[in-house]
């Protein structure tokens, strides 16, 4: 594994293709609503404050990132969402939403950082219409649905099969 040290931008960047989780709880948008265009949201990476939702104005006021950096993060997030949505579609998995983090390299370049995994994505089995049975991500743990490791294993197998077929 090649790794690179970065200074993490203290934002959790969430892309949403389908309404789920806190979006439904906070807005009343029904679970499963298609979001077109997808949402890109910012949360402050601060456990003491409970990772609150941020606006562009708040990001500027808190001096967390410049306007141009926010624009660059939105652009990268949209591009990553496009790639990941296509990839998971080929795995027969619906990419509902996911969280990204970004970092700045020693050369000043903005790069994707942290992990992309079933811990940070909502992934639904395309072939399973059951609202609980289709869940292949950390929501199985959060909602105490059981078979957490089986779901993660299923994601791994489909991802590996897809990578090998390319
Ligand atoms: N997420 C994450 N880390 C967090 C919060 C959220 O990886 O600290 C991911 C979560 O797995 C989901 C997406 O971000 O894929 C959106 O999460 P949401 O805001 O709906 O919060 P949740 O309902 O997970 O608390």
């Amino acid at each position: 594994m090649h790794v690179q040290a970065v200074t993490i931008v203290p934002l959790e960047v969430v892309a949403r293709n389908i309404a789920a989780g806190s979006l439904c709880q906070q807005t009343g948008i029904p679970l499963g609503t298609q979001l077109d265009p997808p949402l890109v949201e910012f949360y402050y990476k601060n456990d003491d404050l409970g990772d609150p939702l941020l606006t562009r104005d708040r990001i500027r006021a808190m001096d967390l990132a410049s306007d141009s950096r926010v624009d660059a993060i939105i652009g990268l997030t949209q591009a990553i969402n496009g790639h990941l949505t296509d990839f998971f579609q080929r795995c027969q998995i619906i990419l509902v939403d996911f969280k990204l983090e970004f970092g700045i390299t020693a050369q000043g370049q903005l790069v994707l950082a942290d992990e992309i995994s079933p811990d940070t994505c909502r992934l639904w089995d395309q072939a399973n219409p059951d609202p609980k049975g289709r869940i292949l991500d950390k929501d199985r743990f959060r909602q105490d649905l059981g078979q957490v490791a089986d779901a993660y294993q299923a994601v791994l197998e489909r991802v590996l099969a897809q990578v090998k077929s390319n």
Side-chain angles (χ1 to χ4, degrees), residues 12 14 16 20-22 43 97-99 119-122 142:
E12 297 197 341
V14 171
R16 299 182 187 272
S22 67
Y43 295 83
D97 60 28
F98 58 96
K99 185 261 304 182
D119 272 0
T120 59
C121 303
R122 284 198 169 90
R142 292 192 188 103

Side-chain angles (χ1 to χ4, degrees), residues 6-27:
V6 294
T7 304
I8 288 284
V9 179
L11 297 172
E12 297 197 341
V13 185
V14 171
R16 299 182 187 272
N17 297 308
I18 293 174
S22 67
L23 178 68
C24 300
Q25 286 153 18
Q26 292 170 6
T27 65

Side-chain angles (χ1 to χ4, degrees), residues 13-138:
V13 185
V14 171
R16 299 182 187 272
N17 297 308
I18 293 174
S22 67
L23 178 68
C24 300
Q25 286 153 18
Q26 292 170 6
T27 65
I29 297 174
L31 175 71
T33 305
Q34 192 75 38
L35 301 165
D36 189 15
L39 309 191
V40 177
E41 300 179 330
F42 296 96
Y43 295 83
Y44 185 28
K45 231 174 113 59
N46 185 318
D47 287 339
D48 292 342
L49 295 175
D51 295 347
L53 181 66
L54 294 177
T55 62
R56 280 186 87 110
D57 284 351
R58 287 187 187 189
I59 292 171
R60 194 183 309 111
M62 295 162 76
D63 207 16
L64 298 178
S66 66
D67 274 358
S68 61
R69 182 147 284 159
V70 170
D71 286 338
I73 289 174
I74 291 171
L76 279 175
T77 301
Q78 289 168 333
I80 292 164
N81 188 29
H83 289 300
L84 284 182
T85 298
D86 288 351
F87 178 82
F88 279 118
Q89 208 162 32
R90 292 199 294 277
C91 302
Q92 277 78 55
I93 289 173
I94 299 168
L95 178 61
V96 175
D97 60 28
F98 58 96
K99 185 261 304 182
L100 299 178
E101 297 190 21
F102 290 88
I104 314 296
T105 66
Q107 292 74 37
Q109 191 190 359
L110 177 71
V111 293
L112 176 65
D114 202 39
E115 63 169 304
I116 297 175
S117 79
D119 272 0
T120 59
C121 303
R122 284 198 169 90
L123 302 170
W124 291 352
D125 185 355
Q126 220 167 52
N128 191 338
D130 177 63
K132 289 188 176 8
R134 69 188 173 189
I135 295 172
L136 297 174
D137 58 70
K138 197 176 178 179

